[in-house]
Amino acid sequence: MRVFLLFAGFVLCLAVVGSSRAMASDISVWPKVPNAPLHWQLQGDIDVGAKIRVVDSDLFETPARQVREWRDAGIFPICYINVGAVEDWREDYAQFPSEVIGNPYWGWDGENWLDIGRFERFSDVILARFDLCRDKGFLGIEPDNIDAYEADYSNKETGFNLTREDQIRYVSWLIDQAHARGLAIGQKNAAELVPELVGRMDFALLESAYHLGFMDEFSPYRDVKKPVFAVEYIEEGADPKQFCPKAGEYGFQGVVAGLELDGKPENCP
């Protein structure tokens, strides 16, 4: 029975990954993300400034009407989707099988890691989120928590002993699925994955890269003319006078924001 179950799981894996490859060939064009000022806000009323050309907002909280208004105004809308952890306040939380829900995500109540090594077990939920992103009119996806494997090399383990190979396989599937729906998709942090992802991802979004010293790892995105949005947090002591010139040197779009992402951020000049 164990051998049969292992074989069945392997077949399911091939079917999911194979179907994603087939879908990806159906749509070969997705929009180019502007290298322009970003407004990144996941909570609260969003008040976009006149110079903003890219907005990144929450998939579930943002109504389609708002997305249409942004697009009519020439603004590129990106939807935030948590793909590496599950939040118990989301409307589709109950659709995730209990066996793929792991340890708490440190620092965020109600959020737990997902077993991305067995993503086939919750792929239908992620696909439904991607469909909703497309149907609301968003043009791109910000996939959060694509660095789960790094947690298992720290003291913040996911509970699943994930590997770098697990992460690459899952992210490759996410890219295929986004592009199959005509959506751009970006790399969120996970600096060690840049060599594998820069050729396939459409932009990058960095958190605390200046503060933690990993801005240089994302230079390959600049070199291939893909936008990099670098965000520093006020709570971590972000100083625009120090950070913004450095972001400019790298050719990154600099943003200073509050950690909760519930208010209007400050864009570097």
Side-chain angles (χ1 to χ4, degrees), residues 152-201:
D152 281 332
Y153 293 106
S154 72
N155 61 351
K156 303 171 184 176
E157 295 89 348
T158 65
F160 301 114
N161 294 317
L162 301 173
T163 66
R164 192 175 192 278
E165 290 71 27
D166 290 330
Q167 196 71 69
I168 290 292
R169 187 173 72 94
Y170 181 44
V171 175
S172 295
W173 178 78
L174 293 171
I175 294 170
D176 285 342
Q177 294 302 321
H179 287 167
R181 288 159 175 77
L183 297 169
I185 185 169
Q187 179 173 347
K188 175 79 170 290
N189 299 320
E192 291 185 359
L193 303 184
V194 169
E196 286 88 351
L197 299 183
V198 65
R200 302 193 60 207
M201 288 289 196

Side-chain angles (χ1 to χ4, degrees), residues 80-92:
Y80 166 92
I81 301 177
N82 195 338
V83 299
V86 62
E87 302 140 326
D88 63 9
W89 62 87
R90 297 298 190 184
E91 58 191 55
D92 58 3

Side-chain angles (χ1 to χ4, degrees), residues 121-140:
R121 300 195 179 193
F122 60 85
S123 59
D124 56 334
V125 189
I126 300 299
L127 293 182
R129 290 181 173 188
F130 279 28
D131 287 343
L132 180 60
C133 179
R134 175 201 59 202
D135 294 346
K136 282 190 171 184
F138 285 100
L139 297 175

Side-chain angles (χ1 to χ4, degrees), residues 155-252:
N155 61 351
K156 303 171 184 176
E157 295 89 348
T158 65
F160 301 114
N161 294 317
L162 301 173
T163 66
R164 192 175 192 278
E165 290 71 27
D166 290 330
Q167 196 71 69
I168 290 292
R169 187 173 72 94
Y170 181 44
V171 175
S172 295
W173 178 78
L174 293 171
I175 294 170
D176 285 342
Q177 294 302 321
H179 287 167
R181 288 159 175 77
L183 297 169
I185 185 169
Q187 179 173 347
K188 175 79 170 290
N189 299 320
E192 291 185 359
L193 303 184
V194 169
E196 286 88 351
L197 299 183
V198 65
R200 302 193 60 207
M201 288 289 196
D202 306 298
F203 67 96
L205 195 156
L206 320 181
E207 292 176 291
S208 308
Y210 176 72
H211 176 66
L212 299 176
F214 64 90
M215 293 180 74
D216 195 56
E217 281 86 336
F218 281 84
S219 294
Y221 275 87
R222 175 203 61 204
D223 296 342
V224 294
K225 302 187 185 308
K226 294 181 179 180
V228 177
F229 305 104
V231 181
E232 295 293 312
Y233 291 117
I234 297 170
E235 292 84 350
E236 295 177 344
D239 181 354
K241 293 181 180 179
Q242 294 181 352
F243 163 62
C244 287
K246 182 60 66 173
E249 289 178 16
Y250 277 94
F252 297 171

